[in-house]
Amino acid sequence: MGELGGFLKLKRAETPERAPAERVGDHREFVRTLPLVELREQGARCMECGVPFCHSGCPLGNLIPDWNDLVYRDRFREALDQLHRTNNFPEFTGRLCPAPCEAACVLEIDEGNAVTIKQIELAIVERGWDEGWIVPQPPAARTGRTVAVVGSGPAGLACAQQLNRAGHLVTVFERDEAGGGLLRFGVPDFKIEKRVVEQRLAQLETEGVEFRYGVDVGADVDPAELAEGFDAVVLAVGSRVPRDLPIPGRELGGVHFAMDYLCERNRDVAGSAAPAISAAGKHVIVVGGGDTGADCVGSAHREGAASVTQIELLGEPPVTRPDELTPWPLWPMKLRTSYALKEGGSRSFAVSTTGLSGNGRVEQIDWMRNNGAPPFAPEPGSEESHPAELVLLAMGFVGPEPSLLEQLGVARNARGNVEAEEYATSVPGVFAAGDARRGQSLIVWAIEEGRRCARTVDAWLAE
Amino acid sequence: MTHRRPDNAPPAPPGPSGLYDPAFEHDACGVALVARLSGEPSHETVARGLTALSNLEHRGAQGADADSGDGAGILVQVPDAFFRGEFGEALPPAGAYGVGTCFLPQGAGRAHELEEIVERAIAAEGQRLLGWRDVPTEPSHVGRSAMAVAPAIRQVVVGASPELAADQDAFERKLYVIRRVAELAAGPALVVPSLSSRTLVYKGMLTAPQLARFYPDLSDERFASALALVHSRYSTNTFPSWELAHPYRMIAHNGEINTLRGNVNWMRARESQLASELFGDDLAKVLPVIRPGGSDTAVFDNVLELLVLAGRSVPHAVMMMIPEAYAGRPDYPEELKGFYAYHQCLMEAWDGPAAISFTDGRVIGATLDRNGLRPGRWLETTDGWVVLASETGVLDVPAEQVLRKGRLQPGKLFLVDLDQHRIVEDDELKHSVATRRPYAEWYAREVLHLADLPQLPEPARPVEPLRRRQLLFGYAQEDMKAMLAPLARNAEEAVGSMGNDTPLAVLSRRKPLLYSYFKQLFAQVTNPPIDSIREKVVMSVQASVGSERNLLDETPEHARQLVIENPILRDDELERLRQVASDVFKAHTVDTTWPVADGVDGLEPALERICHEASAALAGGANILVLSDRSAGPERVPVPSLLATAAVHHHLVREGTRLQTGIVVESGEPRSVHSIAVLVGYGAAAVNPYLMLETIGELVELGSLPDGMTVEQAQARAIKGIGKGLLKVMSKMGISTIPSYCGAQIFEAVGLAPELVERYFTSTPSRIGGVGLRDLAEGSLIRHARAYPGSADELLPVLGLYAWRRDGEHHQWNPDTIALLQHAVRSGTFETYEEFSRTVNSDAARRSTLRGLMRFRFAEDGGIPLDEVEPAAEIVKRFSTGAMSLGSLSREAHETLAVAMNRIGGRSNTGEGGEDPVRYVREANGDSRRSAIKQVASGRFGVNANYLANADELQIKMAQGAKPGEGGQLPGYKVDQYIASVRMTTPGVGLISPPPHHDIYSIEDLKQLIYDLRCGNPNARISVKLVAEVGVGTVAAGVAKAGADHVLISGHEGGTGASPVSSILHAGVPWEIGLAETQQTLVLNDLRSRIWVQTDGQLKTGRDVVVAALLGADEMGFATAPLIASGCVMMRACHLNTCPVGIATQDPVLRERFAGKPEHVVNFFFFIAEEARQLMARLGVARFDDLVGRVDLLDADEALTDWKARGIDLSNVLRASEPVPGAPLRRTTPQAPSLDGALDWELIDIARATIDGGAPVEAALSIRNVNRTVGGLLSNAVTRVYGLAGLPAGSIRFTLTGAAGQSFGAWLAPGIELTLVGDANDYVGKGLSGGVLAMRPPEDAGFRAEENVIAGNTILYGATAGRAFFRGVVGERFAVRNSGASAVVEGVGDHGCEYMTGGVAVVLGRTGRNFAAGMSGGIAYVLDEDGSFPSRCNSELVGLDPVEADDAETLRALVEEHGLRTGSPVAARLLADWDASLARFVKVLPHDYKAALERDVALSTGGEGFLTAETETTEAAA
């Protein structure tokens, strides 16, 4: 355990961030790490609970108390081993995970006091990269079995790495020009610089995973061939069909899905393609109050938007954890202010968008206030109109793209996701993991799905 | 007053049935001897013996049939005149004929056959049958159930053959051979209580007073003897037999032999090498020496008899079997230490609480075990009589005839030699025995010490990488972090909290090591555990290996043993052993691995090979067998070390060669206290846990241990820690030494197949079946597969046994269940509770408990409508919360539970920390913070008359689930002002709860404490808390017979307190087994109707409640679940004071975080009651009462298949006892009233006016030893009116003349003064609560009071206030756990002022050894005339200082008062020259207490509204 009674003496230190005014001027990561001494102090706050709710709150089952303690004792090398034991890519989660572990931390019963687990995780893995401790771990022997993984998002990568380490020969098919899926194309650089993704991809490659980029299975490759040519196929294609907003004016120019905008931004920052969508100098409306919406807000700031407004269908949640609704250790439905809103812009809750208007291109958005909860009845007389030159729809995803799934003939559930109870689909030898299976979710879930799917595939291959 | 049971046919003594097994019966009792120094036989001796016996009646017991005693008997010299009268002058001269008392079956045919067997044996041995005689009996004086099994009693008279007529010793041997030959031929049907030319036994299943009436012979004037040994038995069972009554042929015993199983095994092993010149060829005829089916006493008697007949004197044989603690005693003569050391090479000690009285017809005496755990008081009269008894006052002896009085002392012998006409003093006697041969010289010359062997290089061996070997032996990360690191860091076993909620080993999916299937047994009620820390003077871990020789001979070669100081060997020590170069010692290493290629089927042949190789090695002269798994590796898998050890041990025992060798285990597997304890328990003399030692080296390298600690230091600390832990495991069962523990098998197997247990762990109790050899082999192979192949740096598995981990062991309390329960009780939604309950009861989770494997037999017609079922508001009244003390819990958490339980009409429990009297007053809103159950635990904290008077239930905690058989400790930093005030101790001073109750060393002691508590509060029901282990059912039967109203059977899983991890995980068994055993035993005995049965241990749902009821519980207890309802999140850090939710902490900052509300707890209990109702409806049972004991409504769930594959068999648990027809399955009737005849009613009558507000009163009365707990009821009468403050000083004064019974002056309240003229038994001033006691001998006494014993053991136990003065010497453990009383005494036995936390003790005479052990508070002033006191003081916690000026006044005032109240000449002498006297006093001051005084907080009591009577009396004393 950390230090006995450490949590009583030491305060939680929030993640240090670059000043908003400064960071909006570039695309470098805005999150910083604590100095080592302070970080170890944060590790000392861990009580090493008999029932570590953090460990249960983490979808990966990260051995949080174990590595908190090791960090406190300055034993980073072992901490890294423990971290990698459950998590293939801590540098992804350490940057991007909303940290349900911290919400479930026993110290969070006293709200706002959770151990800074996410920072510690990041620090461990960054130290590992810096020290050169993270090296390729190719398998000692090959089984001779082959696996095709479709999709190189976190689920696909985790699955590929696990299967490769088990000795199978893994080929990853990625329709985009580079690996990482939404990590690379969905999440802005200021949250995760792409070198972070690349260094991990390099590790996988050196370990023996083959990547085939720009190959769209279902379009460029016949899925049947794939199934034929590999002993197993894993579908990790994500949940990429966005939820639309069926209102008058939806068809106007300047109304885009968030992910289209973010992909362009990422390619732009990477210098790989010129963008077609721009927020520069525009009044930007972001519809949807989640993380994707926030990334749109942050990107728009960096493009120099005239104004950025984020609207959310749901009502404004309470500032503190609502015990009657989401008591500890559940993820609290409470008000959170994203990094992006700290950089500027405004937001409104309980907003039902009623229409978009403009002349070919969108110019105005109309909305009404609602009661903040289903069925979101609009309040009569609450109509408002706002200038809108770029409208970004960030309302989540409804499911995986159907084409490939249909070609393979895998069964899907009512929500359109691949039906794969224990990761095996209805088609023998075809497996599914990640958002394609469970629906849109967090990166941790994607990694966990990839790992578990790999276990299933490995067992199946052994038979 | 007797209590008649309804007319039911008496049950016949049953054999094993369900979980009941007569093998687990215990007994204890009262014992006395009378001897006439002149050696002249007289009938008066017999008459006096019988009188003494009658006066010990209250120490015996009756069964369900109150007229049937548990057993009584008398042993006398053969009354020659009597038999001459019966048989005429044809009888040879005295000594040339023997008389045998025989118990024969009723019915002439079978009896005649047995008589013929006896006659044939007589003839075959060349002796003469002189005739038979029917022993007259009076059946009208026997109880019905005793009569039903009564034998026909006949005596046979045997004449000596001419060559033996002149050699009585040889004739005695021949009579023994005749008896054994007849016994072996006849089997159990023939019982021969005695056959001797010297002694004669009359005994039976009788009460003490019935004995003389049943046997008219005993009243015959010709029935004369110079000695008499009498005994009254108290058995926990209800089927006492005639045979098991004492005395046996040589002894009567009060106590219990804890090491019996090992002693029996070792004796069996010894038989093959027995040889005796005296017996010659006859010896073969008497084997086996031990008659099967005997009690511990019977077995002891069998062995003692053999030793004596083979030529040793009785004292010699007794000293061999019950040696005193001689190690570390510089004051003992060398020859005596040598004697003991030498004889330890011949035989292990028979360890346990024992007052053994013995005689061979020429000498008679008694001895006491090394701990002094039984009472024995003697006196010698001026006219040549000696009386020794469990109590003083069993015979009326006029004071002027008393020459001297004394007590049996720990390890000492008391002997009356009728030939020498005197009492032989212990040192004289021992000197003569010890110098009979040059034992010390022999020992010194022949014995070899491991440390003296040359250091040898370790052999080069191929070494696999550490990580692989760790994987091979099932190491987990948690082993390193949670177990080994703390062990090496602190040289102590790691501590955990909050019980064990993981599955039994057999239900676990992670294939635990074999050790985990063994549960440590522990002492409760029938024998006391020992405090291995504070009383380490009696403990030893020294072991030895080598060959044992013929027990019946003594030669220098017998001492050829290799002594090992510590049973945990480092690698280099093992090499010394293995490579020993000596004429005497030869080691042989047996490989205990098998080829992986042989798979699971390879294990059995491997065991055969190992056993065979062991035998061959012994044949080749080896006497040290090293069982080694060093060769495990890629190709070879290790046999579980315990299996290899036990297999070899039992194989050699069977083969008769076990004593030729010591077994040493060299294994990578053991790494905990428990694993090493089990290895030793199954025969290992020493263990080299090489991988554990290497792993500790790794921890050093990793920096897991404090900076600067070297590998050697860390290993040494770990070895020390395991040694300490081992002592604790042994002491739990009351065993003091390794040789006695070795092979003693003090374990219960849970989850192993019967054939496996029978073959390799022979005679280990195992009751639910389980896995066999193949499963164990599979586990080994799985571990092997994890290690090979695999990369060498692979991480160890996580385990998740101590703390929950997602992919680790299943925990019933996990994030899901905890969160769901909290959400349910906070929101008050039954639906959420149902989700919780579903999660707990779900299929997967159910597989983790035995109850989970059961299913209900719901009514086929769908049951009854829910609204016909008893309302939840009624059901919740059966619920109580567990005993968690204020101190372990925060005040907020403690009071929340109390308020909640009072709201629903259930019961909360104080725990052992006392209770603030403000909580006795109801709140304005109607709430009450008073705990209905007041616990009385071994520490007695806060237990005074007022506490008792404010209880609905008084619960005697014999053991607790988390750490049965262990004491506890509240560190000083947790004792703040409030806690201290409630516990009546000093802030900042650490508090120790002793492992045993020092007033309960046996079942009759428990009966006494129950009586004491009844006096303390006649309206409260008395409960006894036990922990489930094999035999708990018979203990519960004993509890019922002791008069308790309620018994609680706790499961091993429960427990909220801090405890060593080995105790949390490995002691005790699930409540399902314990409860079922209890129910079956109580019903079988028709005792169930008079006692409520409660159970607890991880109960959490309505389903659990209903299962418990069906298995026999009237009531249920909950501790963890209501804590979780109050906010506990199972941090399992209760011992660290850092509880983040303010429950298990005293930190004010953390306490503020406590968010629990009584309504949360209320919701929880209503939810589970509601769930129970739903189940009741489906079962078709409307009233909860009608559920109790309906085991027919339960069934093993056949749908769960995987546990069936593991061989679990619940049929014993689910078996219904066949009760006496009509006997209830639940509590229906109260116990017989026990207070009717109490002397106190008279005292209360006299004091009535004073209590009602009248003037002070004074009176004089006489008193006898049967008047027990005098002053208790009177104090309750005063306390009920005046509370803690009592009456003004001197309001009620009684002078009592005579010998007082036990617990004189217990709970005495302020304002009451008792002066005793005479002497008193044990427990004087127990829980003294402010009253004043004084005792002195009669004016006309002919002895010097200060040299004679005036009162017994364990005086002022847990006294909180008041004063006591003793003009004379008292026994062991004077002022034990005194926290506030002041006392003056003129001499004390061993362990004086033990665990004292406050108050003042003045000793104006000599103390015994180990004075002030565990004394953390208070002050003692000891008059140290010869400067020798420091050597007898245990200075671990205390310092010795001269008396200072302030103290001098306190001291003088007490000495003056002592003189005033007792007329003590010692006081007068000291006061005559006070200044000179003062210089001879030593002040004993605990360090903690001194620091507290210096902080100037010692006398502040704090706490809201806490009246401080104790402060007043302390000041008055000053």
Side-chain angles (χ1 to χ4, degrees), chain B residues 950-1258:
Chain B
N950 282 285
D952 298 337
E953 175 176 324
L954 292 166
Q955 180 184 72
I956 302 170
K957 176 176 85 173
M958 291 311 308
Q960 65 183 87
K963 47 177 172 182
E966 289 178 56
Q969 198 163 355
L970 192 66
Y973 65 82
K974 270 198 167 186
V975 184
D976 65 14
Q977 291 231 338
Y978 185 66
I979 302 287
S981 73
V982 172
R983 295 195 176 207
M984 303 180 179
T985 61
T986 308
V989 172
L991 303 175
I992 298 167
S993 299
H997 287 253
H998 278 294
D999 54 358
I1000 309 177
Y1001 296 151
S1002 72
I1003 188 81
E1004 81 269 12
D1005 288 344
L1006 175 67
K1007 185 178 171 189
Q1008 176 61 35
L1009 179 59
I1010 289 170
Y1011 185 83
D1012 294 337
L1013 294 178
R1014 259 200 217 295
C1015 293
N1017 184 345
N1019 302 320
R1021 68 180 195 182
I1022 312 291
S1023 171
V1024 176
K1025 176 176 179 177
L1026 304 174
V1027 170
E1029 66 173 328
V1030 67
V1032 73
T1034 50
V1035 174
V1039 166
K1041 290 163 76 175
D1045 305 300
H1046 185 269
V1047 64
L1048 164 56
I1049 308 295
S1050 267
H1052 72 127
E1053 317 92 319
T1056 50
S1059 164
V1061 290
S1062 76
S1063 308
I1064 293 180
L1065 296 176
H1066 304 298
V1069 300
W1071 61 258
E1072 291 93 327
I1073 303 179
L1075 173 62
E1077 182 190 337
T1078 300
Q1079 177 75 2
Q1080 289 169 15
T1081 309
L1082 290 174
V1083 169
L1084 205 57
N1085 294 331
D1086 194 14
L1087 289 165
R1088 180 64 179 88
S1089 58
R1090 36 160 137 162
I1091 191 160
W1092 280 288
V1093 176
Q1094 185 185 9
T1095 201
D1096 68 16
Q1098 292 292 358
L1099 299 177
K1100 38 180 93 60
T1101 66
R1103 181 184 189 276
D1104 291 347
V1105 165
V1106 175
V1107 172
L1110 297 177
L1111 287 176
D1114 301 281
E1115 301 178 358
M1116 296 84 200
F1118 303 79
T1120 309
L1123 283 189
I1124 287 181
S1126 317
C1128 165
V1129 288
M1130 295 290 282
M1131 274 288 296
R1132 295 182 184 260
C1134 313
H1135 50 297
L1136 300 177
N1137 205 26
T1138 56
C1139 177
V1141 289
I1143 291 178
T1145 179
Q1146 303 309 320
D1147 183 327
V1149 175
L1150 292 171
R1151 280 166 50 195
E1152 272 183 28
R1153 297 191 182 186
F1154 179 71
K1157 301 257 183 310
E1159 41 276 32
H1160 300 157
V1161 179
V1162 170
N1163 283 345
F1164 169 69
F1165 283 114
F1166 269 89
F1167 287 159
I1168 55 175
E1170 194 53 43
E1171 185 192 345
R1173 288 185 71 235
Q1174 294 176 354
L1175 292 168
M1176 288 167 69
R1178 295 173 64 193
L1179 287 164
V1181 178
R1183 298 195 47 78
F1184 202 95
D1185 268 348
D1186 298 330
L1187 278 182
V1188 178
R1190 286 290 306 281
V1191 66
D1192 57 301
L1193 295 179
L1194 273 179
D1195 210 350
D1197 193 343
E1198 301 291 327
L1200 303 176
T1201 48
D1202 62 340
W1203 61 269
K1204 267 173 54 192
R1206 295 182 209 181
I1208 298 176
D1209 175 4
L1210 291 177
S1211 58
N1212 282 334
V1213 175
L1214 296 179
R1215 178 166 308 172
S1217 280
E1218 304 241 333
V1220 177
L1225 300 176
R1226 62 184 166 85
R1227 196 268 193 185
T1228 52
T1229 44
Q1231 288 274 10
S1234 61
L1235 299 177
D1236 287 4
L1239 181 64
D1240 272 51
W1241 299 123
E1242 219 174 302
L1243 304 184
I1244 291 171
D1245 278 346
I1246 296 168
R1248 174 50 58 199
T1250 311
I1251 297 171
D1252 291 345
V1257 63
E1258 250 187 279

Side-chain angles (χ1 to χ4, degrees), chain A residues 221-243:
Chain A
V221 174
D222 181 354
E225 270 175 39
L226 207 63
E228 194 67 20
F230 289 87
D231 294 318
V233 175
V234 176
L235 303 175
V237 297
S239 171
R240 296 286 284 268
V241 178
R243 180 172 285 111

Side-chain angles (χ1 to χ4, degrees), chain A residues 190-259:
Chain A
F190 48 87
K191 277 171 75 178
I192 182 168
E193 289 172 16
K194 298 313 169 224
R195 60 164 178 88
V196 175
V197 182
E198 279 155 11
Q199 67 187 359
R200 191 56 90 168
L201 287 169
Q203 185 203 28
L204 266 75
E205 278 174 27
T206 318
E207 285 172 359
V209 178
E210 188 187 343
F211 286 90
R212 297 180 54 186
Y213 296 119
V215 179
D216 189 355
V217 178
D220 307 330
V221 174
D222 181 354
E225 270 175 39
L226 207 63
E228 194 67 20
F230 289 87
D231 294 318
V233 175
V234 176
L235 303 175
V237 297
S239 171
R240 296 286 284 268
V241 178
R243 180 172 285 111
D244 209 343
L245 185 64
I247 51 167
R250 167 65 184 87
E251 71 291 349
L252 290 168
V255 182
H256 301 277
F257 285 116
M259 204 45 70

Side-chain angles (χ1 to χ4, degrees), chain A residues 1 4 7-8 47-53 55-56 59-61 63 66 75 81-82 85 110 327-329 448, chain B residues 477 481 702 704 795-798 803-806 813 815 818-819 823 1129-1131 1136 1138 1140-1141 1147 1150 1153:
Chain A
M1 83 144 68
L4 180 61
F7 68 98
L8 287 171
M47 304 184 291
E48 196 160 12
C49 300
V51 178
F53 284 76
H55 166 62
S56 152
L60 280 164
L63 297 164
D66 302 79
R75 287 160 57 183
D81 288 343
Q82 296 299 338
R85 185 179 189 132
D110 191 18
W328 177 90
E448 172 70 0
Chain B
Q477 238 168 256
K481 188 163 156 178
L702 288 173
S704 298
L795 293 174
L796 293 177
V798 176
W804 179 84
R805 289 291 183 272
R806 189 184 71 176
W813 289 115
I818 293 170
H823 297 167
V1129 288
M1130 295 290 282
M1131 274 288 296
L1136 300 177
T1138 56
V1141 289
D1147 183 327
L1150 292 171
R1153 297 191 182 186

Side-chain angles (χ1 to χ4, degrees), chain A residues 410-429:
Chain A
V410 298
R412 287 190 283 163
N413 63 20
R415 294 165 61 195
N417 299 323
V418 180
E419 181 77 59
E421 184 64 30
E422 288 297 320
Y423 302 93
T425 70
S426 59
V427 178

Side-chain angles (χ1 to χ4, degrees), chain B residues 509-631:
Chain B
R509 284 156 190 232
R510 65 184 168 90
K511 303 258 177 205
L513 300 179
L514 180 57
Y515 311 119
S516 316
Y517 290 81
F518 288 80
K519 300 291 184 185
Q520 297 164 11
L521 299 183
F522 46 88
Q524 55 181 346
V525 181
T526 59
N527 54 328
I530 305 169
D531 185 335
S532 63
I533 303 167
R534 263 70 60 170
E535 297 183 8
K536 65 181 172 202
V537 287
V538 300
M539 306 292 299
S540 159
V541 289
Q542 186 182 303
S544 65
V545 294
S547 309
E548 240 186 58
R549 286 163 185 265
N550 176 16
L551 176 65
L552 302 182
D553 195 5
E554 43 185 27
T555 66
E557 290 75 30
H558 277 73
R560 287 187 175 167
Q561 291 275 317
L562 208 166
V563 173
I564 299 168
E565 293 305 326
N566 186 324
I568 300 121
L569 300 179
R570 291 162 172 269
D571 296 0
D572 63 306
E573 289 171 323
L574 178 68
E575 288 315 322
R576 286 184 203 186
L577 261 186
R578 197 197 321 263
Q579 301 176 44
V580 59
S582 143
D583 300 338
V584 177
F585 296 101
K586 185 176 164 195
H588 177 86
T589 301
V590 181
D591 174 35
T592 61
T593 64
W594 89 91
V596 180
D598 291 357
V600 285
D601 295 321
L603 180 54
E604 193 167 358
L607 287 166
E608 276 166 27
R609 192 259 307 155
I610 291 164
C611 291
H612 180 77
E613 195 179 325
S615 299
L618 299 198
N623 51 14
I624 300 169
L625 277 182
V626 182
L627 305 181
S628 172
D629 56 25
R630 279 274 192 186
S631 67

